[in-house]
Amino acid sequence: MPRSAALRTLTATVALTVVSATAACTGAGNSTPAAAPTSGAAASPTSGAVSAASPSGGGIAPGTLFTPLVASTYTTPAPVRGTDGATHLAYELALTNALPIPFQLERVDIRDAATHAPVTSESGAALAADVTQLIHTSREAGDPPPPTTEPIAPSSTSVVWLDVTVPNGGPPPDRLEHLVVGSIQPPGAAPVHAEFVVGTVDVAKQTAPVLSWPVGAGDWYMSDGCCADDTPHRRGLAPINGAYMVPQRFAIDFYKLDDQHRAWVGDPSKLASYVTYNQPILAAAAGTVVAALDGLPNNDQLPKPPAIPSIDHTVGNHVIVEVGPGQYLLYAHMDPGSVATKVGDRVEKGQQLGRIGTSGNSTVPHLHFQVLTEPTFFPADSTPYAFDRFELTGRVTQRIWDDIIGLQPDGTMPFEAAADGGARTDEMPLDRAVVRVSAG
């Protein structure tokens, strides 16, 4: 038999087996996994999955089964305490339909893999808003994809953007598993209920690094940050060197505000109108400079976005500092001529590295800051971090980001005071938080 025909036969057989097993198991409830599965593997069979059972001592491990979906994750979930007081695990669950028929995703339960106790669950409109199908559809440039309620097509992948939270800063489980609930949709027949466990993943053991502030004293708007909001950083899925990555998952754009919560005053087409422009950029931790670039121009299209730069100029003038094993701090979009260090230099916490500009893929002046796992922006993973001390003052109530700040009727950000504001220590500011940084 030709290989292509053999593959089609195998796929069809798997689909029929799964559908048959689902029909037989529907209503039987969830079974308990017999053994902890390995990362990315499925647990023991539940409704909608069929076990490849074998006699004792056979060549197929107990708990092995066919599943309609194949799961993977793009990072190891790492905990960090946010300004809402909860511990956050921000990561992605990629679900690929292995069947030649559609699969309707209805619910995803995130559970403790050791006890199978639920940690959180997504379904309905909330799940639809947190799913992106990797299918290109026609829409206006810049428009976000609509909430995904369509079935996962055969051989297609959907990404579930997860923000798993543990209240009151509690510790997360050591390992997570994902119970997927949905229905298989055979042609000409009624949908068949299916639920199964996939995508078991370890939780990182190390704690998020606690850093000093990379900017000076004042009020700062934390834009495009983690964890639940649909932002270009959090949901910036990028195909790099043959692999999908989310290289800006925990990145924050820093904008300084004046005492009236204005990001700019005067003419938004002028750099000097922006409160953030030319502010000093400070080392958030001591370390060694492993990358430094200067000489790229600021955006000359203010207040409109610049032309998309080449990949090597994405972060503009920048400095990357190694602060520990697998931990690199990126300070991006510096003003041309302001970079004050070079590769190999040892820098100390609080040392000035440069000044804020709008070089690279930046519309208005801001500091793009994040922790990388590699000494490069591309490729790298983005991991969480916290700041040592600050005051939480409030939140910007509308999503106003780099590309549109200068296009607002005026520079005043819509600000709402925090009901639970005040002094904070060792926390990560969440998206759209406004914080007050003290001198020293």
Side-chain angles (χ1 to χ4, degrees):
M1 180 184 297
R3 292 176 65 182
S4 58
L7 180 59
R8 288 195 299 270
T9 300
L10 175 60
T11 306
T13 301
V14 170
L16 290 172
T17 306
V18 170
V19 171
S20 299
T22 302
C25 295
T26 298
N30 297 339
S31 63
T32 301
T38 57
S39 178
S44 64
T46 56
S47 177
V50 57
S51 174
S54 65
S56 177
I60 298 177
T64 300
L65 51 91
F66 294 119
T67 54
L69 304 181
V70 176
S72 63
T73 52
Y74 298 139
T75 190
T76 299
V80 64
R81 182 183 174 97
T83 42
D84 58 356
T87 298
H88 289 258
L89 294 163
Y91 66 105
E92 305 78 37
L93 179 68
L95 299 173
T96 299
N97 186 357
L99 302 180
I101 52 179
F103 183 91
Q104 180 67 61
L105 182 64
E106 297 169 1
R107 194 179 85 231
V108 177
D109 294 346
I110 298 89
R111 312 192 303 189
D112 184 328
T115 65
H116 316 299
V119 179
T120 190
S121 179
E122 287 213 29
S123 61
L127 177 60
D130 287 341
V131 172
T132 299
Q133 287 198 9
L134 301 187
I135 299 176
H136 292 284
T137 56
S138 297
R139 62 177 189 273
E140 292 297 320
D143 287 350
T148 304
T149 57
E150 293 297 315
I152 305 175
S155 302
S156 295
T157 297
S158 286
V159 177
V160 185
W161 305 94
L162 293 172
D163 176 29
V164 178
T165 58
V166 181
N168 303 316
D174 292 335
R175 193 170 172 84
L176 298 172
E177 65 182 13
H178 307 89
L179 176 68
V180 174
V181 180
S183 58
I184 300 166
Q185 301 187 318
V192 181
H193 177 78
E195 55 184 83
F196 44 91
V197 175
V198 292
T200 305
V201 63
D202 289 328
V203 173
K205 300 297 189 293
Q206 69 269 26
T207 58
V210 177
L211 306 172
S212 181
W213 282 87
V215 292
D219 287 356
W220 292 86
Y221 167 37
M222 308 280 95
S223 177
D224 277 357
C226 205
C227 287
D229 293 345
D230 181 359
T231 72
H233 287 170
R234 175 64 191 94
R235 300 192 182 184
L237 185 64
I240 301 171
N241 293 349
Y244 274 125
M245 298 180 179
V246 185
Q248 304 178 85
R249 184 183 296 106
F250 292 99
I252 295 176
D253 286 345
F254 288 65
Y255 299 89
K256 192 171 188 180
L257 306 178
D258 69 7
D259 58 2
Q260 299 179 52
H261 301 115
R262 293 180 298 185
W264 53 268
V265 180
D267 183 353
S269 68
K270 306 296 184 184
L271 276 172
S273 299
Y274 292 85
V275 183
T276 309
Y277 178 61
N278 209 35
Q279 291 292 316
I281 297 171
L282 310 176
T288 301
V289 176
V290 295
L293 179 66
D294 201 349
L296 298 178
N298 284 322
N299 175 24
D300 62 0
Q301 302 295 316
L302 276 173
K304 297 178 181 179
I308 300 298
S310 60
I311 188 170
D312 55 328
H313 290 171
T314 300
V315 292
N317 304 317
H318 66 277
V319 172
I320 299 177
V321 179
E322 182 178 14
V323 298
Q327 291 183 341
Y328 302 85
L329 306 187
L330 169 66
Y331 309 82
H333 306 312
M334 292 184 177
D335 201 38
S338 75
V339 175
T341 189
K342 64 183 183 302
V343 173
D345 284 354
R346 175 74 184 179
V347 298
E348 301 302 325
K349 183 175 72 172
Q351 179 177 333
Q352 184 168 321
L353 303 177
R355 290 187 176 275
I356 296 176
T358 182
S359 57
N361 191 23
S362 168
T363 299
V364 304
H366 70 277
L367 169 66
H368 175 106
F369 178 82
Q370 67 179 101
V371 176
L372 306 168
T373 57
E374 303 289 340
T376 55
F377 177 60
F378 292 145
D381 198 13
S382 174
T383 53
Y385 49 93
F387 291 114
D388 51 6
R389 58 188 179 89
F390 59 96
E391 181 183 350
L392 178 67
T393 63
R395 186 171 188 264
V396 172
T397 57
Q398 300 174 26
R399 190 175 164 266
I400 299 176
W401 72 100
D402 181 38
D403 285 354
I404 66 171
I405 282 183
L407 301 177
Q408 300 304 299
D410 60 57
T412 304
M413 297 294 100
F415 174 81
E416 180 180 68
D420 58 347
R424 299 300 181 91
T425 58
D426 302 352
E427 291 184 348
M428 179 185 66
L430 299 179
D431 182 40
R432 297 191 290 188
V434 176
V435 302
R436 181 163 296 151
V437 179
S438 300

